[in-house]
Amino acid sequence: MEENEEFNEELNEDMTDMSTENIDEPQDALTKVTGMYKDWFLDYASYVILERAVPAIEDGFKPVQRRIMHALKELDDGRYNKVANVVGHTMQYHPHGDASIADAMVQIGQKDLLIDTQGNWGNILTGDRAAASRYIEARLTKFALEVVFSPKITEWQLSYDGRKKEPVNLPVKFPLLLAQGAEGIAVGLSTKVLPHNFNELIDASIKHLKGQRFKFYPDFPTGGVIDVSNYNDGLRGGKIRVRAKIAQLDKSTLIISEIPHGTNTSTLIDSILKANDKGKIKIKKIEDNTAAEVEILVHLPSGISPDKTIDALYAFTACESSISPLGCIIEDNKPLFIGVTEMLARSTDYTVSLLKAELEIQLRELEEQWHFASLERIFIENRIYRDIEEQETWEGVIAAIDQGLEPFTAHLKRPVAEEDIVRLTEIRIKRISKFDLDKAQEYLDNLEERIAEVRHHLENLVDFAIQYFKSLKEKYGKEKERKSEIRIFDDIEATKVAIRNTKLYVNREEGFVGTSLKRDEYVTDCSDIDDVIVFTKDGKMMVSKVDSKIFVGKNIIHVAVFKKKDKRTIYNMIYKDGKGGPSYVKRFNVTSITRDKLYDLTNGKANSETLYFSANPNGEAEVVTVLLRQAGSVKKLKWDIDFADVLIKGRASKGNIVSKYSVKRIELKEKGVSTLKPRKIWFDDIVRRLNVDGRGELLGEFKGEDLLLVATQKGVVKTIIPELTTHFDENMIVLEKWIPNKPISVIHYEGEKERYYLKRFLIESENKEELVISDHPKSFLEIISTDWRPVVEIEFVKPRGKEVRPNQVVDVEDFIAIKGIKAIGNQLTADKVKNINVLESLPYEAPENEAVKKEDAAEMEVIDEESVDPQVADKAKKDEMPDEKQDNGEGQSKLF
């Protein structure tokens, strides 16, 4: 900075010297170059901010947009105009090239609100550009003509060359800025106002006028799904997440039907292909069938999970992106940062002021009409026009009429002016001769009614504005429903959905792991964004990011891909505490760590050694045999240890003592079973995903072999593994833990036979989709029940000329036995059905053998994956904080 200041001072001095040599003027008349630069920069920045990049709050337009609308209005005759002609007309007001005007006009036209377009105006879905401006046409929409223009209340200014007049701001009586959105980059600041839904903005304006609270969120023309939980009212620092709408068409095909804002099908497909090339996802091919609506088919190779691929598309492609709004507008020629709520409030208040101005002008015009109509009636009815026959001068004519009117003008609302008398003299003889007193009075009465109505509107201006907004919604809001679905997104962990595109190897003796050690031992497939966890013989542990080659420590005993927050993988370990020290047994999990930090799982003494180690993905607890070396008077040299008797603690726990004598070896005696409780799984209807965090509805406790039962409104029934990555469709109507011997009852309408049928069945094939209704186009699912003994009630249609049949109650268990899943079932009734209601199910008693199983299960002792030894309960938090010092002297209890 000091060097720059010195350089500027030297430059100023040089410029001053040069100037004084050539110009014979005093020193004060010179301007320093630094000052010129400062002024020029500020002038340029102000120009870009005010005249190009940032819209005005009053009408929501940037200058070029305002001039385009003004040009369209001047050219408006109800017919389409060539865009090239409109662009040329706009150049009378806009001092820039035709290309920038044409691009701005296309952007307005693509928003389908103000400009009625004809021809190829491009496609926001595919990213195709509009045709040349000489080929496409445009005119103002009826909405624009009603809302944007009102010349009588418009403030005008001279155009840049002084030849024309242009509006300072257009009198827009609608929150247009929020409806269309705006984006611009100026000098030193930028703006990004997102588009919002037409009808929701009107509803919010009405609530504001009523003094009620309101909220509204962005709505994009491309549709998609949006998460607005961090929208922050459109202010700086806010963020919304946008996703494509992806569904599973069949087992090997995904369909993208809506795309995120800011993308098009071309950029979206490119991002998917790049992710495939990088190995983040695996796809077979992509088909783009987009026309009027988006349809991108993503074909998957066999064996690839559609649910994981959907998550991977969100994690690694443009199918999900974040948009950061920034509410900046121009008010009184100054940039102002405000949220969308305040923007709408200001726009609505501005609309009220415009409506008031229009009403006041309308009132003045009506009163003027009433005034002259009254004068005209007096003039003709009292034959005052005869008083001017003998007058020879114009002054005499005016005076005679004024004198003739005077006895009849007491009821007028203002004095008679000379201009009024001049207008009376211009009335034609034909009009006087055909003057109808009754019609004149009727006209005056009509004017008085309209004046009273306008005054009423002015006295009740807020109510008038509310009705104005309601009429806008009624006229123009019918095809402007919300396109973007608002949902709360689940967070996708990239490591869980990334395709394992590389292989992990290990050199145990030398202590290296990595993807480039192809001559060494293969461990597992992994992705390049995974973490790897490594345990060594000396009781050390490290977690590091997958790389080509990493040194961890010599004599590696276990390597695996690390799963963060994994509470179900339990490590069983027996180690020797230093040279000649006692041996300890411990069980622990690893849920959080600091990457590339070396952790000591022993007491930290030199020459500590791991005697036995196992990693158990479902908390299995095996039985091992401990053999001691012959030493002194030790009598018991061999015994068994069941890891199920050892509590699961933190990784820093010291463990329980095994023996103070030297261990010869440890042998596996018996493989273990899981000591963890069945995992509780919930369904969160907001994000439509499973979770183990207690959000939503509890589906039950699941062991490894348990499955979920899923049924959809389309009649598809299936059982699936309860994976947390599973996506559930909007038309899902049943989601519960599957009990294999529990029958499913279905009432369906058979389209071919045009009758209702009832069927009961069991799932015959696990992990297989079954259609339980016919594929006839008129067939549909009426009711599906997973209760043991459901009961339904049938309401019948009243036959013409007959009494309606009483409601029929059907015990499903008695009505039909359990049949095959493909059976049509029994006909429910031959009569026409009005409605079918589900009643309270009958009580169910479990069979004796089932009750015995439950008692046996209750007596089984299992260890909760969350359980912690009481002595270390206060240290549970420290185990989750990798950078804190941890006390290794936890409670010791001798087992043998």
Side-chain angles (χ1 to χ4, degrees):
M1 292 294 293
E2 293 177 359
E3 294 176 359
N4 290 336
E5 290 176 0
E6 291 174 4
F7 172 79
N8 289 333
E9 289 175 2
E10 292 173 4
L11 180 62
N12 290 334
E13 291 173 2
D14 293 342
M15 294 296 292
T16 302
D17 293 341
M18 292 169 61
S19 301
T20 51
E21 288 174 6
N22 299 321
I23 304 173
D24 219 1
E25 288 183 7
Q27 183 72 20
D28 315 352
L30 297 175
T31 303
K32 292 185 177 181
V33 173
T34 51
M36 294 166 65
Y37 285 155
K38 182 179 180 181
D39 293 341
W40 291 345
F41 180 79
L42 287 175
D43 290 344
Y44 172 69
S46 300
Y47 169 73
V48 174
I49 292 170
L50 299 177
E51 294 295 325
R52 300 191 69 172
V54 185
I57 185 62
E58 288 84 2
D59 57 7
F61 288 123
K62 298 178 184 180
V64 64
Q65 297 170 332
R66 187 179 301 114
R67 288 160 181 161
I68 289 169
M69 296 301 294
H70 176 57
L72 279 167
K73 177 62 175 172
E74 285 194 324
L75 294 171
D76 181 57
D77 58 0
R79 300 164 59 191
Y80 288 99
N81 287 285
K82 289 284 187 183
V83 168
N85 186 25
V86 179
V87 170
H89 198 83
T90 307
M91 290 180 72
Q92 298 178 89
Y93 308 101
H94 195 64
H96 294 285
D98 57 338
S100 62
I101 298 172
D103 288 344
M105 189 169 176
V106 167
Q107 289 180 15
I108 300 173
Q110 287 179 341
K111 290 171 182 175
D112 195 26
L113 187 61
L114 300 177
I115 299 179
D116 183 4
T117 61
Q118 184 167 274
N120 177 17
W121 280 67
N123 191 330
I124 59 172
L125 300 178
T126 61
D128 294 335
R129 291 181 59 84
S133 56
R134 61 184 178 274
Y135 298 126
I136 56 179
E137 298 178 325
R139 65 182 177 188
L140 292 170
T141 62
K142 291 181 180 179
F143 173 78
L145 289 168
E146 180 175 347
V147 167
V148 176
F149 304 100
S150 184
K152 293 177 182 177
I153 60 171
T154 302
E155 183 182 353
W156 302 91
Q157 64 184 2
L158 289 175
S159 61
Y160 70 95
D161 60 1
R163 288 190 173 94
K164 293 271 188 175
K165 284 187 177 181
E166 63 173 327
V168 177
N169 287 307
L170 287 168
V172 177
K173 301 181 289 295
F174 179 79
L176 191 62
L177 173 59
L178 295 171
Q180 293 195 127
E183 189 171 351
I185 300 175
V187 179
L189 60 83
S190 63
T191 185
K192 193 163 194 172
V193 180
L194 302 180
H196 298 75
N197 182 261
F198 182 91
N199 292 324
E200 291 176 8
L201 288 174
I202 291 179
D203 292 339
S205 293
I206 292 172
K207 286 184 178 178
H208 171 67
L209 292 171
K210 290 181 177 179
Q212 300 173 352
R213 291 184 179 181
F214 59 88
K215 278 189 177 181
F216 55 94
Y217 298 106
D219 185 26
F220 302 117
T222 55
V225 188
I226 62 174
D227 183 345
V228 297
S229 52
N230 294 319
Y231 184 42
N232 193 31
D233 201 40
L235 289 165
R236 186 191 322 226
K239 181 180 74 171
I240 69 167
R241 295 164 64 189
V242 291
R243 282 182 178 176
K245 190 168 278 189
I246 309 175
Q248 185 177 340
L249 192 62
D250 53 49
K251 291 184 178 179
S252 60
T253 310
L254 301 177
I255 180 170
I256 301 175
S257 56
E258 295 178 12
I259 59 177
H261 178 67
T263 65
N264 54 59
T265 55
S266 300
T267 58
L268 196 68
I269 290 172
D270 287 345
S271 72
I272 295 173
L273 293 175
K274 285 179 182 178
N276 181 65
D277 293 341
K278 291 179 180 179
K280 304 292 186 184
I281 60 175
K282 279 188 180 178
I283 62 170
K284 195 174 180 181
K285 66 175 181 176
I286 292 184
E287 291 181 52
D288 187 4
N289 301 327
T290 301
E293 295 180 354
V294 173
E295 184 181 305
I296 301 173
L297 300 180
V298 181
H299 298 276
L300 307 179
S302 59
I304 298 297
S305 166
D307 288 321
K308 282 192 175 180
T309 304
I310 290 174
D311 283 346
L313 287 171
Y314 290 142
F316 303 116
T317 74
C319 288
E320 178 179 337
S321 60
S322 294
I323 301 175
S324 298
L326 178 56
C328 179
I329 49 92
I330 298 298
E331 185 180 57
D332 296 331
N333 286 326
K334 294 177 184 176
L336 178 67
F337 293 90
I338 57 174
V340 295
T341 302
E342 189 173 351
M343 284 186 200
L344 183 120
R346 288 172 181 248
S347 175
T348 305
D349 294 340
Y350 183 63
T351 298
V352 172
S353 67
L354 293 175
L355 291 173
K356 181 182 179 183
E358 286 184 342
L359 287 171
E360 288 173 343
I361 291 174
Q362 186 180 357
L363 179 62
R364 287 197 298 270
E365 290 176 347
L366 288 172
E367 287 179 339
E368 281 300 307
Q369 292 175 31
W370 180 88
H371 178 78
F372 184 73
S374 298
L375 281 178
E376 185 182 57
R377 177 185 173 182
I378 296 168
F379 182 71
I380 298 174
E381 183 181 4
N382 295 285
R383 306 191 179 207
I384 297 173
Y385 53 84
R386 290 184 175 180
D387 296 344
I388 65 174
E389 293 176 356
E390 299 178 358
Q391 301 299 324
E392 296 180 356
T393 63
W394 178 250
E395 290 79 7
V397 170
I398 298 297
I401 295 174
D402 189 21
Q403 187 176 358
L405 292 174
E406 188 173 350
F408 310 101
T409 57
H411 69 289
L412 297 181
K413 297 174 183 178
R414 69 171 178 83
V416 179
E418 185 174 343
E419 292 80 7
D420 299 328
I421 298 173
V422 172
R423 283 186 65 187
L424 290 174
T425 62
E426 295 170 356
I427 299 176
R428 295 184 178 182
I429 298 297
K430 186 177 180 181
R431 179 171 177 78
I432 294 173
S433 63
K434 291 188 176 182
F435 184 75
D436 188 329
L437 184 60
D438 293 334
K439 286 185 178 180
Q441 186 59 46
E442 184 181 344
Y443 178 64
L444 284 169
D445 292 342
N446 183 41
L447 285 175
E448 288 175 357
E449 288 178 5
R450 291 171 63 189
I451 290 171
E453 182 183 5
V454 172
R455 284 178 173 166
H456 175 76
H457 291 332
L458 282 169
E459 291 169 0
N460 301 274
L461 192 57
V462 172
D463 292 337
F464 176 74
I466 290 172
Q467 289 304 316
Y468 168 79
F469 278 113
K470 286 181 177 179
S471 68
L472 286 182
K473 185 176 180 180
E474 186 177 347
K475 287 181 186 177
Y476 308 108
K478 291 179 182 177
E479 297 180 0
K480 293 181 170 58
E481 295 81 10
R482 168 168 282 278
K483 294 184 178 180
S484 297
E485 180 187 352
I486 297 176
R487 292 239 316 256
I488 295 176
F489 293 170
D490 52 322
D491 292 324
I492 297 172
E493 293 186 32
T495 54
K496 290 185 178 180
V497 298
I499 297 295
R500 298 193 165 183
N501 56 358
T502 186
K503 299 182 184 298
L504 183 66
Y505 301 91
V506 59
N507 185 324
R508 296 182 184 273
E509 186 177 350
E510 296 297 326
F512 290 98
V513 294
T515 57
S516 63
L517 309 175
K518 296 184 179 180
R519 295 184 179 180
D520 294 307
E521 179 188 343
Y522 165 75
V523 179
T524 183
D525 287 352
C526 65
S527 72
D528 51 11
I529 61 172
D530 278 335
D531 289 321
V532 58
I533 187 168
V534 183
F535 296 86
T536 59
K537 184 72 174 174
D538 59 356
K540 302 292 195 304
M541 177 196 82
M542 180 187 285
V543 175
S544 187
K545 194 171 182 64
V546 167
D547 208 338
S548 57
K549 188 175 182 181
I550 312 164
F551 177 75
V552 179
K554 293 187 177 182
N555 299 316
I556 294 172
I557 58 174
H558 179 73
V559 185
V561 173
F562 176 66
K563 299 177 183 178
K564 192 176 180 182
K565 298 179 182 178
D566 180 12
K567 296 180 180 179
R568 296 191 71 84
T569 299
I570 305 300
Y571 302 99
N572 299 338
M573 179 178 178
I574 299 175
Y575 69 93
K576 182 180 69 173
D577 185 23
K579 187 175 183 180
S583 54
Y584 293 88
V585 59
K586 62 190 288 186
R587 298 184 76 201
F588 60 95
N589 55 25
V590 180
T591 56
S592 63
I593 45 79
T594 299
R595 190 181 285 157
D596 297 326
K597 178 180 177 180
L598 194 63
Y599 291 89
D600 197 338
L601 303 175
T602 69
N603 287 335
K605 293 183 180 179
N607 299 317
S608 292
E609 180 184 2
T610 302
L611 303 176
Y612 178 85
F613 183 89
S614 68
N616 306 281
N618 202 31
E620 292 84 358
E622 65 271 31
V623 178
V624 296
T625 300
V626 179
L627 294 93
L628 301 183
R629 297 183 186 278
Q630 182 68 48
S633 60
V634 179
K635 294 181 180 180
K636 192 174 182 180
L637 300 176
K638 178 180 178 181
W639 69 90
D640 295 339
I641 293 179
D642 188 349
F643 276 97
D645 297 329
V646 182
L647 290 178
I648 300 170
K649 301 180 181 179
R651 63 169 178 268
S653 64
K654 185 174 184 178
N656 301 327
I657 192 165
V658 175
S659 175
K660 62 181 179 180
Y661 300 106
S662 178
V663 175
K664 183 178 180 181
R665 68 178 182 274
I666 297 175
E667 298 175 348
L668 176 65
K669 181 178 181 181
E670 182 182 322
K671 288 186 177 181
V673 295
S674 177
T675 58
L676 300 178
K677 280 186 176 180
R679 186 168 59 163
K680 290 182 179 180
I681 294 180
W682 286 262
F683 175 68
D684 188 345
D685 188 52
I686 297 175
V687 300
R688 303 195 68 77
R689 298 293 284 269
L690 303 176
N691 68 87
V692 293
D693 305 320
R695 301 191 313 272
E697 177 188 357
L698 178 64
L699 299 178
E701 298 183 349
F702 289 77
K703 297 179 182 177
E705 67 278 5
D706 290 334
L707 300 175
L708 275 172
L709 173 65
V710 181
T712 69
Q713 189 63 57
K714 295 179 180 179
V716 175
V717 176
K718 60 183 176 180
T719 56
I720 61 172
I721 298 170
E723 294 181 342
L724 302 186
T725 56
T726 305
H727 287 258
F728 294 94
D729 294 336
E730 296 289 342
N731 62 359
M732 178 190 69
I733 54 177
V734 173
L735 178 64
E736 64 182 40
K737 185 177 179 181
W738 179 50
I739 301 174
N741 62 335
K742 188 178 180 183
I744 300 171
S745 305
V746 167
I747 297 176
H748 63 103
Y749 183 79
E750 173 54 49
E752 184 178 354
K753 300 187 177 183
E754 297 185 345
R755 298 285 171 86
Y756 283 94
Y757 285 81
L758 172 59
K759 61 190 288 187
R760 294 178 79 217
F761 57 88
L762 297 173
I763 299 292
E764 298 168 355
S765 301
E766 298 179 7
N767 300 311
K768 180 183 178 182
E769 284 191 359
E770 299 277 7
L771 184 64
V772 298
I773 62 175
S774 74
D775 56 1
H776 192 279
K778 291 184 179 179
S779 297
F780 61 86
L781 178 68
E782 178 70 22
I783 290 173
I784 183 169
S785 174
T786 56
D787 290 345
W788 287 95
R789 303 177 65 193
V791 179
V792 297
E793 180 187 42
I794 307 171
E795 296 180 20
F796 298 96
V797 175
K798 183 181 182 300
R800 183 176 295 178
K802 296 182 181 179
E803 291 292 328
V804 63
R805 181 180 169 183
N807 293 354
Q808 179 184 349
V809 176
V810 178
D811 180 348
V812 174
E813 187 180 31
D814 288 342
F815 188 83
I816 185 172
I818 296 174
K819 297 185 178 182
I821 194 170
K822 293 294 185 183
I824 189 173
N826 292 353
Q827 181 176 296
L828 192 61
T829 179
D831 296 323
K832 287 189 176 181
V833 175
K834 180 181 178 182
N835 200 11
I836 302 176
N837 304 314
V838 179
L839 304 181
E840 186 176 352
S841 300
L842 297 174
Y844 170 73
E845 295 181 2
E848 291 185 7
N849 58 346
E850 195 173 313
V852 170
K853 285 182 182 178
K854 287 184 178 179
E855 289 178 5
D856 293 342
E859 291 177 359
M860 289 178 60
E861 185 177 353
V862 292
I863 300 172
D864 189 347
E865 59 184 295
E866 304 290 342
S867 65
V868 182
D869 187 275
Q871 298 180 27
V872 295
D874 60 336
K875 295 188 61 180
K877 292 184 179 178
K878 291 184 180 180
D879 281 338
E880 297 300 323
M881 299 174 63
D883 293 328
E884 294 288 328
K885 280 191 175 181
Q886 299 177 346
D887 182 9
N888 291 335
E890 292 195 42
Q892 307 170 26
S893 58
K894 190 169 183 178
L895 293 176
F896 311 103

